[in-house]
Amino acid sequence: MGFSLMRNQKFMPTIKHLLIISIAINAGLLLKLLHHEHEWAGLLGPDINGKNEVRLVKDVLHKAKPATDQYVNLDRGDPTMYEVYWMQMGDKTTLVLSGWQSISYFSDTKNHCWFLEPGFANAVTRLHNLVGNAQTRNYHIVVGTGSTQLFQAALYALSPSSAPEPMSIVSAAPFYSSYPLIIDCLKSGLYKWKGDASKYNKDDPYIELVTSPNNPDGSIRQAVVNGSGGILVHDLAYYWPQYTPISFQANHDIMLFTVSKCTGHAGIRIGWALVKDKEVAKKMTKFIEISSIGVSKDSQLRAAKILDVIADTYEHTEKFDKATPFFHYIYNEMAKRWRQLRSAVSKGQTFSLPDFPVEKCNFIGQRFGTQPAFAWLKCEKSIDDCEGFLKKHKILTRSGTHFGSSENYVRISLISHKEEYDEFIRRLSLLSSMSSPHE
């Protein structure tokens, strides 16, 4: 009887009951977030347009300052610094692709580079014309899986197959550390790495790689070898206004660019070459056709969307409310990081950095010195192995020996996450201020 009466009574929840239920639900959600943060998006925060945008919870959970007993890895040139800007842009660069798109191998059968997406070609031309860093008129665009594949394609196109000896490939030291590795990887009979261009004095045909601004030391480069049989390939991955003043419009025979260092989207794996000679462009296309049967259409379409949004932040500012245009935003961030680095180094005589000439940037409209994506740091005093010294203090860098230079130098990436970079600055400041580097 008692049971029957209780069953028929209506349960009326009190405030106390509701509070207990609420705490239980929220605790469960929090635990789930912590356990599966990669699947959740939750924290609302204002973007640069003044609207609330969903922020990935993992951005908060994983970007805390590295613990003092952890390594800070600045060996890699992973441009994660750019994430903040693109997160603030919200869905401006969102691209939806239907299942029926990108079915065919072919993009434009009338173009010598038949796998080049017209939209990507247009976006590349538009951005160069906006920035003024390279001529595009009367140039042929070849798209590649990053500038690495384009670099290989250029060597293939420029090295005669009937030559009795492999073509000599040189670059002035300090040179990009991957050049020797890429060139000698396949032991090609077409070309061979010959090292420092400043030491090359043969009369044989050669290809000189000119990287400007240079990786690793940020210097503005010209050709070094004066031989009559030389061919130049210009790697201009860093010739963008966030890194260096745009003082002229480049018009070299072959110019290589990459999305990774222009926009920060290294994972897209897209680069492009501007090539004057049609036959050279055809041979470069042939190399890519043989090695990978073209280049991902999806990556090209995504890259095109990103490049167009960058141009829109200048040409269609009404779409972005009060958003800072892309190159100006990244320019300010690079300037800040270089100020932090020079301040840390100036605390003592343990380290030194190169100085860069100040020039007027035709795009930014200001005078400034090059502020490269990498710092070429020299250990002074009695430190012979700079990489080893910094590693003892849990800072990972890349030794100058990889770049054809001495172990007194290291290359340090300045384009990592803010928290990682700030911790590096803190540690470097302490090392700089030591009276003895071996304390």
Side-chain angles (χ1 to χ4, degrees):
M1 183 72 173
F3 174 79
S4 177
L5 287 172
M6 185 175 290
R7 184 182 59 183
N8 293 328
Q9 287 178 346
K10 290 184 180 181
F11 174 67
M12 299 297 293
T14 65
I15 294 177
K16 181 179 179 181
H17 291 131
L18 292 175
L19 180 60
I20 293 172
I21 293 171
S22 176
I23 292 172
I25 291 174
N26 282 289
L29 285 173
L30 180 59
L31 288 172
K32 194 166 185 178
L33 280 172
L34 292 172
H35 206 59
H36 302 287
E37 70 270 15
H38 64 284
E39 298 175 357
W40 284 81
L43 301 179
L44 293 177
D47 68 359
I48 55 178
N49 295 321
K51 300 177 182 178
N52 283 332
E53 293 290 348
V54 175
R55 302 298 178 85
L56 294 178
V57 171
K58 70 175 184 180
D59 188 56
V60 175
L61 296 176
H62 293 313
K63 292 184 183 177
K65 182 189 295 185
T68 54
D69 62 341
Q70 293 179 345
Y71 284 98
V72 174
N73 192 340
L74 300 178
D75 173 19
R76 303 166 298 196
D78 199 18
T80 51
M81 172 190 77
Y82 286 80
E83 281 184 359
V84 173
Y85 182 85
W86 292 115
M87 288 178 68
Q88 291 174 341
M89 292 301 285
D91 63 355
K92 292 290 193 299
T93 56
T94 298
L95 180 67
V96 178
L97 297 176
S98 300
W100 54 264
Q101 290 182 267
S102 304
I103 296 294
S104 174
Y105 287 112
F106 301 93
S107 295
D108 184 0
T109 55
K110 295 180 181 179
N111 194 319
H112 64 273
C113 188
W114 50 267
F115 44 81
L116 172 64
E117 283 291 311
F120 178 67
N122 293 337
V124 164
T125 301
R126 180 188 178 194
L127 192 64
H128 280 305
N129 291 343
L130 170 69
V131 175
N133 61 339
Q135 290 187 14
T136 57
R137 188 176 181 181
N138 298 324
Y139 275 85
H140 305 279
I141 299 176
V142 180
V143 65
T145 305
S147 60
T148 298
Q149 187 181 37
L150 291 164
F151 161 63
Q152 293 173 301
L155 297 185
Y156 170 82
L158 297 172
S159 301
S161 58
S162 58
E165 296 291 334
M167 179 76 88
S168 297
I169 313 297
V170 297
S171 185
F175 43 72
Y176 177 39
S177 58
S178 291
Y179 283 158
L181 301 176
I182 295 168
I183 293 168
D184 288 340
C185 177
L186 299 178
K187 307 297 182 184
S188 173
L190 294 178
Y191 47 81
K192 187 174 183 179
W193 175 249
K194 289 293 185 178
D196 189 352
S198 63
K199 298 178 181 179
Y200 187 80
N201 54 11
K202 296 183 179 180
D203 294 329
D204 300 332
Y206 65 92
I207 297 173
E208 182 176 354
L209 309 173
V210 182
T211 306
S212 185
N214 189 43
N215 176 0
D217 66 354
S219 61
I220 304 301
R221 290 288 187 87
Q222 302 291 335
V224 171
V225 184
N226 294 320
S228 58
I231 304 173
L232 303 180
V233 175
H234 284 78
D235 185 344
L236 304 183
Y238 301 95
Y239 191 48
W240 295 100
Q242 66 265 50
Y243 303 122
T244 192
I246 303 302
S247 57
F248 68 98
Q249 196 172 39
N251 61 347
H252 308 295
D253 290 342
I254 300 176
M255 299 180 285
L256 307 181
F257 296 90
T258 175
V259 166
S260 64
K261 297 307 184 289
C262 172
T263 75
H265 291 83
I268 291 181
R269 306 309 308 132
I270 287 290
W272 68 93
L274 299 179
V275 185
K276 274 186 181 179
D277 190 290
K278 185 177 181 180
E279 295 307 312
V280 172
K282 284 182 176 180
K283 287 196 71 175
M284 290 177 66
T285 299
K286 190 64 178 178
F287 175 88
I288 297 172
E289 176 185 328
I290 294 170
S291 61
S292 58
I293 320 180
V295 176
S296 168
K297 287 186 178 184
D298 290 1
S299 289
Q300 290 186 66
L301 292 173
R302 186 171 177 222
K305 177 70 173 179
I306 292 165
L307 297 184
D308 277 335
V309 167
I310 290 175
D312 283 345
T313 62
Y314 291 94
E315 297 176 344
H316 298 286
T317 55
E318 71 280 359
K319 296 181 180 179
F320 300 91
D321 196 12
K322 297 180 181 180
T324 304
F326 173 78
F327 288 116
H328 284 70
Y329 182 98
I330 304 300
Y331 161 82
N332 288 331
E333 181 61 28
M334 290 304 303
K336 175 185 175 183
R337 293 190 176 204
W338 269 97
R339 286 194 300 269
Q340 290 175 304
L341 179 59
R342 291 196 183 279
S343 175
V345 169
S346 68
K347 294 182 183 299
Q349 283 77 48
T350 307
F351 307 105
S352 63
L353 290 165
D355 292 317
F356 302 106
V358 174
E359 289 189 80
K360 170 72 178 293
C361 178
N362 297 329
F363 180 77
I364 296 290
Q366 296 177 208
R367 291 177 59 83
F368 65 94
T370 300
Q371 42 193 41
F374 299 100
W376 190 234
L377 186 75
K378 183 181 181 182
C379 285
E380 304 287 356
K381 296 186 177 181
S382 58
I383 305 172
D384 295 323
D385 179 6
C386 196
E387 179 188 37
F389 171 73
L390 291 172
K391 187 174 182 180
K392 289 179 182 178
H393 296 277
K394 299 191 179 299
I395 300 172
L396 299 181
T397 60
R398 190 173 301 183
S399 173
T401 56
H402 295 286
F403 304 90
S405 187
S406 78
E407 62 182 4
N408 296 107
Y409 291 89
V410 292
R411 190 196 73 170
I412 297 173
S413 172
L414 270 65
I415 51 178
S416 62
H417 285 130
K418 178 183 183 300
E419 293 75 13
E420 191 171 40
Y421 185 75
D422 288 347
E423 176 60 18
F424 157 69
I425 291 296
R426 187 190 70 80
R427 296 182 190 184
L428 193 72
S429 296
L430 292 175
L431 293 174
S432 295
S433 59
M434 288 181 180
S435 58
S436 169
H438 301 290
E439 288 180 3

